Amino acid sequence: MQAEIIAVGTEILLGQITDTNSPLVARLLATLDIDTYYQTVVGDNRERLLSALEIASERADLIITIGGLGPTPDDLTKQTVSEFVKQTLIEDQPALDKILDYHQRTQRPMSINNRLQALYMADGQPLLNETGFAVGCFYQNPNGPDVLLLPGPPWELEPMLVKHALPVLAENYQQSGVLFSRVLRFYGIGESRLVTQLANLIENQTNPTVAPYAKAHEVTLRITAQAKTTDAAIKLIDEMEADIMAEVGDYFYGYGDDFSLEECVGDLLINSNLHITAAESMTSGLFQSTLGKVAGISQVFDGGLVTYSPATKIALLDVDPEVIEEHGVVSEATACAMAVGAQKKLGADIAISFTGVASGELEGHEAGTVWIGIAFEDDPVQAFLYHFGTERQKNRERAVMAGLDLIRRTILGLPSVEYK
Amino acid sequence: MQAEIIAVGTEILLGQITDTNSPLVARLLATLDIDTYYQTVVGDNRERLLSALEIASERADLIITIGGLGPTPDDLTKQTVSEFVKQTLIEDQPALDKILDYHQRTQRPMSINNRLQALYMADGQPLLNETGFAVGCFYQNPNGPDVLLLPGPPWELEPMLVKHALPVLAENYQQSGVLFSRVLRFYGIGESRLVTQLANLIENQTNPTVAPYAKAHEVTLRITAQAKTTDAAIKLIDEMEADIMAEVGDYFYGYGDDFSLEECVGDLLINSNLHITAAESMTSGLFQSTLGKVAGISQVFDGGLVTYSPATKIALLDVDPEVIEEHGVVSEATACAMAVGAQKKLGADIAISFTGVASGELEGHEAGTVWIGIAFEDDPVQAFLYHFGTERQKNRERAVMAGLDLIRRTILGLPSVEYK
């Protein structure tokens, strides 16, 4: 079962607005096992829309148009699609009543265009618009692909799609069974390396499928299974997950589309009631501001320090000037002294420190050289050396991610791994 | 001149990510008077991409593909497009050097896929990727539509497009004369308000054109003029700029695609040799990490404090406990005391403080309520009240921007304005 989405609107084509409808429709179609191989954006133009419909009808079983159902002269999707599938348009009485009632109640003048919003294809099925006036429509076409007409405003599209269109599609197309997916999140391994290591699993599977996706400084894998029941789909996913974990489990940190490494660490800290602080040099507050994104973090995060210059490391963190003199700022000894200083100053259970070179060169170290120190409860303080790249801001971001991962591994008692 | 945009990526097709690249490309093409009548999204699939290219080549003079230039086996745009236009691929030496250097320096194993990112079409022109590894390409095709290959990650696409691809397109397609553009940056006024205030200037002009573009928490205007000579183009732009400034000059802070409010403030601080520090509560280090993006900031930024809890405001900033007791944490008095405390502690010329409600409710204040304090040299300390929105992270970002603008206006002696 293949669908094609055609988003109609000159304002999308000009880039004046970003089309967030098509991704939503695609995601929800996937839950019914309906694939979309193409999405098209076309302006409010009869000829070009007809041409897009022509092309789509050769490659899809279902064409979904979005937009162009409104009351302005620009809006011509319904008229053009009905011309294309040779359907006459008739009025949906409840939709018309709603339009008439609104204009009467607000004493606004009503034009013929307002009334057009109540039209739907004679052999089709009108779809209720709970948050607007333009009625949608699903038409099962005996002579070509079926068509589904949805409104353009996102606040109209989503309720119509979820409450009215999807049930109609499910009734018409659902084979049997369910589609289920799970997202695994990894830190410390690049996308290309992960894909290489899982090549067999990714390439040879059709059910479940495994799709990698690189996010900023991390990678996710989406496992999607199709089965008769949810339990059976979950079993397929569990098996695939076990195979994946056997290969790259060392880098796994959590599940879900909306999870992040800072949330993972924030949750760990909050659930263990471990108070944290930080002493930041080259990250300049980025670790603390990243942690600050986590709702509820104030339970375990009281504050910390940004010590950019050597003098502030001494003044605010009580780092021994001789340590800096002897080892330099970018050193294991300074990272350790910073972590210990912050832990004492804030009375925290965990203190993390960052000192290194964001860009340029410092003390003979090249950009990307970073020492991260960690003082955890009464354990001996430790520091780890990292080599990142040449870009200032990316180096700072990568240092923060590495710091978060170090805290996670420390709290969970996991061994450190080589980033690759 | 008609272009067609083909965004390649299964994750877009599945709705896992929203395509923000195509709107940006369409907007920037419009500044060169290049129309887009169709945009297509297609998955990482050779056959379907070939079919999309076939269709596009019948209706466009220029095909722009976005995405699929990365190092995974999924990424096959370059290979497929070069097959379509019958071009062999050759290695771009600078791009290859960058890839080799990165892997050597970070001691990461390099796969053949990494190397593929340096390939471009033999008779085409490689386009530098300043923020990634995959080289772009423009190929002027004697036997069909020209093609332009752009990378998918937005942080790679935008710099390549603006700095390298658009000049090449302008050179190839521009009728005669020169095309020159200048970007003006504004903070403190929303896009819709700016557009309304400049409606006459934006709508009635064809040369120069004025294109607004909303970035995170700020707005830019790109003025583009076409003329016989650069001097003549600059004159047209100067006149338009004067008209714009007469309307919204109060919100203007600088020029250029790559400039930012933090760089503007960083430059001001460095050039005036004013040392700065910060005491951050609800922003949790975000101000300092934003300032830390500015290269060379260490000349005037020694460090600062993150004081999330009331206890750390007292312990680290010497805020009088009675001030917090009497006025609350979210108050003018506490903001002032934090700024004064930080200024003394760090011996800085300027200290800025942030205290407020990022999300939820605190001391009866709703989310988005923020006091920003500023202590400048020996001037009396001041604090200003802001009301932002309901989203945690956005409130923190907006507070930081407002703080930067406050510093800019304080150093330059500009009056404060009403944000709108």
Side-chain angles (χ1 to χ4, degrees):
Chain A
M1 180 72 201
Q2 280 172 41
E4 179 149 345
I5 299 171
I6 301 177
V8 187
T10 302
E11 68 282 13
I12 306 174
L13 210 53
L14 292 175
Q16 288 165 355
I17 60 170
T18 297
D19 173 24
T20 56
N21 288 322
S22 298
L24 176 70
V25 172
R27 275 198 303 278
L28 292 175
L29 286 179
T31 64
L32 297 182
D33 205 15
I34 300 175
D35 293 325
T36 45
Y37 284 171
Y38 298 95
Q39 295 169 6
T40 307
V41 179
V42 63
D44 299 295
N45 176 289
R46 180 179 162 278
E47 286 71 31
R48 290 194 280 276
L49 176 54
L50 280 175
S51 161
L53 290 166
E54 190 68 54
I55 290 167
S57 69
E58 276 161 33
R59 53 193 190 190
D61 311 306
L62 166 67
I63 299 175
I64 300 174
T65 68
I66 300 174
L69 306 185
T72 76
D74 278 358
D75 296 304
L76 40 72
T77 303
K78 195 153 52 183
Q79 296 86 322
T80 309
V81 173
S82 59
E83 175 189 341
F84 184 72
V85 296
K86 302 186 177 64
Q87 277 281 302
T88 54
L89 290 166
I90 59 173
E91 275 177 345
D92 178 49
Q93 196 57 48
L96 183 61
D97 289 347
K98 188 174 167 185
I99 294 166
L100 292 170
D101 176 64
Y102 170 79
H103 284 87
Q104 198 166 13
R105 203 160 22 80
T106 58
Q107 297 175 347
R108 287 172 185 238
M110 184 169 151
S111 74
I112 182 69
N113 281 328
N114 293 116
R115 199 174 170 116
L116 288 179
Q117 294 184 98
L119 294 176
Y120 72 102
M121 286 182 263
D123 297 327
Q125 189 170 343
L127 299 172
L128 181 63
N129 187 335
E130 295 185 10
T131 45
F133 294 111
V135 73
C137 181
F138 174 70
Y139 168 57
Q140 210 161 10
N141 183 0
N143 309 310
D146 302 339
V147 292
L148 172 67
L149 306 187
L150 297 172
W155 59 91
E156 295 183 18
L157 176 131
E158 188 168 344
M160 185 188 291
L161 180 63
V162 170
K163 294 194 193 170
H164 305 290
L166 286 181
V168 169
L169 295 182
E171 199 180 288
N172 278 278
Y173 301 132
Q174 202 63 42
Q175 306 296 330
S176 67
V178 296
L179 195 79
F180 210 79
S181 78
R182 183 184 297 166
V183 172
L184 313 187
R185 306 184 72 95
F186 299 86
Y187 173 74
I189 184 166
E191 187 191 16
S192 59
R193 186 63 182 260
L194 184 96
V195 167
T196 308
Q197 216 156 324
L198 299 177
N200 281 332
L201 292 176
I202 292 177
E203 283 163 24
N204 300 331
Q205 294 298 324
T206 51
N207 187 33
T209 57
V210 179
Y213 179 39
K215 304 224 167 187
H217 312 297
E218 57 174 316
V219 190
T220 65
L221 284 180
R222 178 181 295 271
I223 313 174
T224 306
Q226 193 173 3
K228 289 230 168 95
T229 65
T230 304
D231 282 353
I234 288 174
K235 188 159 174 288
L236 285 171
I237 291 176
D238 285 344
E239 287 164 10
M240 176 58 84
E241 180 179 327
D243 290 346
I244 291 170
M245 288 302 196
E247 287 289 336
V248 291
D250 283 347
Y251 301 94
F252 170 83
Y253 77 82
Y255 294 101
D257 259 322
D258 292 330
F259 204 53
S260 64
L261 195 52
E262 63 262 22
E263 274 173 286
C264 169
V265 170
D267 289 354
L268 272 176
L269 292 168
I270 292 169
N271 294 332
S272 330
N273 194 30
L274 288 169
H275 280 246
I276 187 162
T277 188
E280 303 189 56
S281 185
M282 63 86 74
T283 47
S284 182
L286 189 60
F287 174 83
Q288 294 171 79
S289 72
T290 304
L291 199 63
K293 287 183 192 171
V294 181
I297 196 69
S298 63
Q299 294 168 52
V300 293
F301 175 56
D302 303 305
L305 300 117
V306 178
T307 54
Y308 220 55
S309 69
T312 55
K313 292 178 179 65
I314 296 163
L316 300 179
L317 291 169
D318 300 327
V319 171
D320 185 344
E322 281 180 20
V323 168
I324 297 178
E325 184 109 351
E326 190 178 333
H327 301 277
V329 164
V330 185
S331 66
E332 182 174 11
T334 298
C336 286
M338 286 171 67
V340 168
Q343 192 186 29
K344 275 195 196 145
K345 201 91 179 179
L346 275 287
D349 302 305
I350 302 185
I352 190 152
S353 66
F354 299 85
T355 181
V357 194
S359 59
E361 209 198 67
L362 188 64
E363 298 173 351
H365 304 287
E366 63 182 353
T369 310
V370 182
W371 279 97
I372 304 182
I374 185 160
F376 179 54
E377 296 184 330
D378 299 328
D379 291 358
V381 62
Q382 282 186 286
F384 301 85
L385 178 63
Y386 301 82
H387 295 285
F388 302 127
T390 53
E391 283 176 60
R392 185 182 179 87
Q393 184 61 7
K394 282 207 177 144
N395 282 336
R396 299 167 72 226
E397 289 166 7
R398 290 179 66 185
V400 167
M401 293 292 278
L404 289 168
D405 194 49
L406 182 58
I407 295 167
R408 184 179 76 88
R409 292 183 183 278
T410 302
I411 296 176
L412 296 175
L414 297 173
S416 62
V417 290
E418 187 203 347
Y419 291 161
K420 55 191 186 181
Chain B
M1 181 73 202
Q2 277 173 42
E4 179 148 346
I5 300 170
I6 301 179
V8 187
T10 302
E11 68 280 14
I12 306 173
L13 211 54
L14 291 174
Q16 288 164 358
I17 59 169
T18 297
D19 172 25
T20 57
N21 289 322
S22 298
L24 176 69
V25 173
R27 276 196 304 276
L28 291 177
L29 286 180
T31 66
L32 297 183
D33 209 14
I34 300 175
D35 293 326
T36 45
Y37 284 171
Y38 297 94
Q39 295 170 5
T40 307
V41 179
V42 63
D44 299 295
N45 177 288
R46 180 181 161 276
E47 286 72 30
R48 291 193 281 276
L49 177 53
L50 281 175
S51 160
L53 290 166
E54 191 67 57
I55 290 166
S57 69
E58 277 160 32
R59 53 193 189 190
D61 312 304
L62 166 67
I63 299 175
I64 300 173
T65 68
I66 301 174
L69 306 186
T72 77
D74 277 0
D75 295 306
L76 39 71
T77 302
K78 196 153 50 182
Q79 296 86 322
T80 308
V81 173
S82 59
E83 176 189 341
F84 184 73
V85 296
K86 301 188 179 60
Q87 277 282 301
T88 53
L89 289 167
I90 60 174
E91 274 176 346
D92 178 49
Q93 196 59 46
L96 183 62
D97 290 345
K98 187 173 167 187
I99 294 166
L100 292 170
D101 175 64
Y102 170 79
H103 284 88
Q104 199 165 11
R105 200 159 24 75
T106 57
Q107 297 172 352
R108 289 177 181 233
M110 183 168 151
S111 72
I112 181 71
N113 282 329
N114 294 115
R115 199 175 170 116
L116 288 179
Q117 295 183 97
L119 294 177
Y120 73 102
M121 287 182 263
D123 298 327
Q125 187 170 344
L127 298 172
L128 179 64
N129 188 335
E130 295 186 9
T131 46
F133 293 111
V135 73
C137 181
F138 174 70
Y139 169 58
Q140 211 161 10
N141 184 0
N143 310 308
D146 301 339
V147 292
L148 171 67
L149 306 188
L150 296 172
W155 59 91
E156 296 183 15
L157 176 131
E158 188 170 343
M160 184 187 292
L161 181 63
V162 170
K163 294 194 195 169
H164 306 289
L166 287 182
V168 169
L169 295 182
E171 198 181 290
N172 277 279
Y173 301 133
Q174 212 60 46
Q175 304 303 326
S176 69
V178 297
L179 194 80
F180 208 78
S181 76
R182 182 184 298 166
V183 171
L184 314 187
R185 308 184 70 96
F186 299 86
Y187 173 75
I189 185 167
E191 187 190 16
S192 60
R193 187 63 181 260
L194 185 96
V195 168
T196 308
Q197 217 155 325
L198 299 176
N200 281 333
L201 292 176
I202 293 176
E203 282 164 23
N204 299 332
Q205 294 297 324
T206 51
N207 187 31
T209 58
V210 179
Y213 181 34
K215 303 225 166 188
H217 313 299
E218 56 174 316
V219 191
T220 65
L221 284 181
R222 179 182 294 272
I223 312 175
T224 306
Q226 196 173 358
K228 289 231 169 97
T229 65
T230 304
D231 282 353
I234 287 175
K235 187 159 175 287
L236 286 172
I237 291 177
D238 284 343
E239 287 163 10
M240 175 59 82
E241 180 179 327
D243 291 345
I244 291 170
M245 288 302 197
E247 287 288 337
V248 292
D250 283 348
Y251 300 94
F252 170 82
Y253 76 83
Y255 294 100
D257 260 319
D258 289 333
F259 203 54
S260 64
L261 194 53
E262 62 263 21
E263 275 174 285
C264 169
V265 170
D267 289 354
L268 273 176
L269 292 167
I270 292 169
N271 294 334
S272 332
N273 193 30
L274 289 168
H275 281 245
I276 186 162
T277 187
E280 303 190 56
S281 184
M282 63 87 72
T283 48
S284 182
L286 189 60
F287 174 83
Q288 294 171 80
S289 72
T290 303
L291 200 62
K293 288 183 191 172
V294 181
I297 196 69
S298 63
Q299 294 169 51
V300 292
F301 175 56
D302 302 305
L305 300 117
V306 178
T307 53
Y308 220 57
S309 68
T312 55
K313 292 177 179 67
I314 296 163
L316 298 180
L317 290 169
D318 300 326
V319 172
D320 184 344
E322 280 179 20
V323 168
I324 296 178
E325 183 111 350
E326 190 178 333
H327 302 276
V329 164
V330 185
S331 66
E332 183 175 11
T334 298
C336 286
M338 287 171 68
V340 168
Q343 192 185 28
K344 276 194 194 146
K345 201 92 179 178
L346 275 288
D349 302 304
I350 302 185
I352 190 152
S353 66
F354 298 86
T355 180
V357 194
S359 59
E361 209 198 67
L362 188 64
E363 300 173 349
H365 304 287
E366 61 184 353
T369 309
V370 182
W371 280 97
I372 304 183
I374 184 161
F376 179 54
E377 296 185 329
D378 299 327
D379 292 357
V381 60
Q382 282 186 288
F384 300 85
L385 178 62
Y386 300 82
H387 294 285
F388 301 127
T390 52
E391 283 176 62
R392 184 183 179 86
Q393 184 61 8
K394 285 208 174 141
N395 283 335
R396 299 168 70 226
E397 290 165 8
R398 290 179 67 184
V400 167
M401 293 291 279
L404 289 168
D405 193 49
L406 183 58
I407 295 167
R408 185 179 76 88
R409 292 183 183 277
T410 301
I411 296 176
L412 295 176
L414 297 173
S416 62
V417 290
E418 187 203 345
Y419 291 161
K420 58 191 186 182

